[in-house]
Amino acid sequence: MSTVDFLAQEKVWFDKPRYDEAERRFYEHRNGSSQPSQDVGANSILQDIARARENIQKSLAGLKTTLCNRGCSQPLPSRHSQFSASSSTNAADQGEFISRIRNLELENQSLHKVVEDLRAALSKLECRVTVLEKSPATVTAAPAPSVPYTNGTTVQQKTSAPVKEEDDDDDDIDLFGSDEDEEAEKLKEQRLKEYAAKKAKKPTLIAKSSILLDVKPWDDETDMAKLEECVRSVQADGLLWGTSKLVPVGYGIKKLQIACVVEDDKVGTDMLEEEITKFEDYIQSVDIAAFNKI
């Protein structure tokens, strides 16, 4: 339903201002009051509004009738046209369904082909696995050499066929591995000896250190020449004394600063200090001034 039809059917009280005016006049007449002059203009305006509403209602009613007449005069769409439209729509939908079904059939055929190929490959693999599992390990026995005898006849040695072991206890027995183990041990010992000889011929790097010692006397009256002689008297394998000099300490006292080269594996600093401090008449203490690896 359109807006115009709705307004035409709507029953609106367009005459309400007239009734209000009549009611007001009734109560004024009853109370004996006179209407002021200003209300006359307002009443005329209200009457004009009421007339305008009546005209609008009449025009809407006429419009409704016009629309009804026009709707009745137009012919309804024929059933044939409706049927043709619906049949065209159905044909389009049917064509779309048919195309989809064809695509699905093509995909189904391709999938069937792939599945068949996979089954064939799987069957081939199963056959190969069964053949590999069932085929026994063939061992070719070497021909036995003929052994000559003193009577001139040659007798070929009998080759013993591999016999299946029935008991599990015989699995640990190795009838033919003893000679191989002995040969392997001999070869291993020979290689170890060759390696040891080669290593012995190779020159080894000897670790050495350069040490600078400070040897302090008791006082300024100590014979420093005798002190140095005592220090150099300390001899050991891997010890080589170097240059020396006297360094003043204070109050006329001088210390002996002497260098030496030692092999780390043979001579240590503790041993040097212990041997030098044995000369208690000349030497008060020994300190290491410098220590460097060569």
Side-chain angles (χ1 to χ4, degrees):
M1 183 182 292
S2 63
T3 306
V4 178
D5 297 339
F6 178 77
L7 291 175
Q9 293 180 3
E10 183 68 18
K11 294 180 180 180
V12 185
W13 190 9
F14 295 104
D15 297 336
K16 186 176 183 300
R18 296 173 62 187
Y19 289 102
D20 293 339
E21 180 66 19
E23 186 179 1
R24 186 181 62 77
R25 287 179 181 180
F26 172 75
Y27 283 111
E28 286 179 355
H29 180 72
R30 186 178 180 182
N31 294 331
S33 60
S34 60
Q35 182 180 3
S37 59
Q38 295 179 355
D39 294 341
V40 177
N43 291 331
S44 62
I45 293 171
L46 292 174
Q47 289 176 2
D48 294 338
I49 293 171
R51 290 193 192 104
R53 289 181 177 176
E54 288 178 359
N55 294 329
I56 291 169
Q57 187 176 8
K58 289 178 181 179
S59 63
L60 291 174
L63 182 63
K64 179 181 178 183
T65 55
T66 304
L67 291 173
C68 290
N69 294 329
R70 185 177 297 177
C72 294
S73 63
Q74 290 180 354
L76 294 174
S78 61
R79 293 184 179 180
H80 180 69
S81 61
Q82 291 179 356
F83 180 75
S84 62
S86 62
S87 62
S88 62
T89 306
N90 293 331
D93 295 339
Q94 188 175 5
E96 185 178 357
F97 289 145
I98 290 171
S99 63
R100 289 184 180 180
I101 290 170
R102 288 178 180 175
N103 293 331
L104 289 174
E105 288 178 353
L106 292 175
E107 291 180 358
N108 193 10
Q109 290 177 1
S110 62
L111 289 175
H112 276 297
K113 186 176 180 182
V114 172
V115 170
E116 290 297 330
D117 294 340
L118 290 174
R119 285 179 179 175
L122 184 61
S123 62
K124 289 180 181 179
L125 288 174
E126 288 179 353
C127 293
R128 291 183 64 184
V129 169
T130 52
V131 168
L132 290 174
E133 288 180 352
K134 291 181 180 180
S135 61
T138 57
V139 179
T140 58
S146 58
V147 180
Y149 285 92
T150 54
N151 55 4
T153 60
T154 59
V155 179
Q156 195 173 12
Q157 293 180 350
K158 295 181 180 180
T159 58
S160 60
V163 181
K164 295 183 180 179
E165 297 177 356
E166 296 179 357
D167 299 332
D168 295 338
D169 297 337
D170 297 338
D171 294 339
D172 298 334
I173 300 174
D174 189 4
L175 300 177
F176 305 100
S178 59
D179 296 337
E180 294 179 358
D181 294 340
E182 290 178 0
E183 292 179 359
E185 290 293 333
K186 290 179 180 179
L187 182 60
K188 185 177 179 181
E189 291 178 0
Q190 183 180 358
R191 289 181 178 178
L192 287 174
K193 290 179 181 179
E194 291 177 356
Y195 176 74
K198 185 177 180 181
K199 190 175 180 181
K201 292 179 181 179
K202 186 177 180 180
T204 57
L205 183 62
I206 300 172
K208 294 182 180 181
S209 301
S210 175
I211 304 173
L212 185 63
L213 299 175
D214 285 342
V215 183
K216 297 178 182 178
W218 288 103
D219 50 20
D220 56 347
E221 295 180 356
T222 305
D223 188 359
M224 299 304 293
K226 186 67 176 175
L227 186 143
E228 184 177 357
E229 184 181 352
C230 294
V231 172
R232 290 184 181 274
S233 64
V234 177
Q235 298 294 329
D237 186 14
L239 173 62
L240 179 63
W241 293 106
T243 59
S244 62
K245 64 179 180 178
L246 296 177
V247 179
V249 179
Y251 303 101
I253 301 174
K254 295 181 181 181
K255 64 180 180 180
L256 176 65
Q257 198 169 64
I258 185 169
C260 65
V261 178
V262 298
E263 294 181 10
D264 296 341
D265 296 337
K266 297 179 180 180
V267 181
T269 56
D270 295 337
M271 189 272 286
L272 281 176
E273 292 179 4
E274 185 179 354
E275 292 295 329
I276 293 171
T277 52
K278 286 182 179 180
F279 302 98
E280 297 178 353
D281 297 337
Y282 300 97
I283 299 170
Q284 177 188 1
S285 63
V286 179
D287 296 328
I288 298 174
F291 186 93
N292 296 317
K293 291 285 186 182
I294 299 176

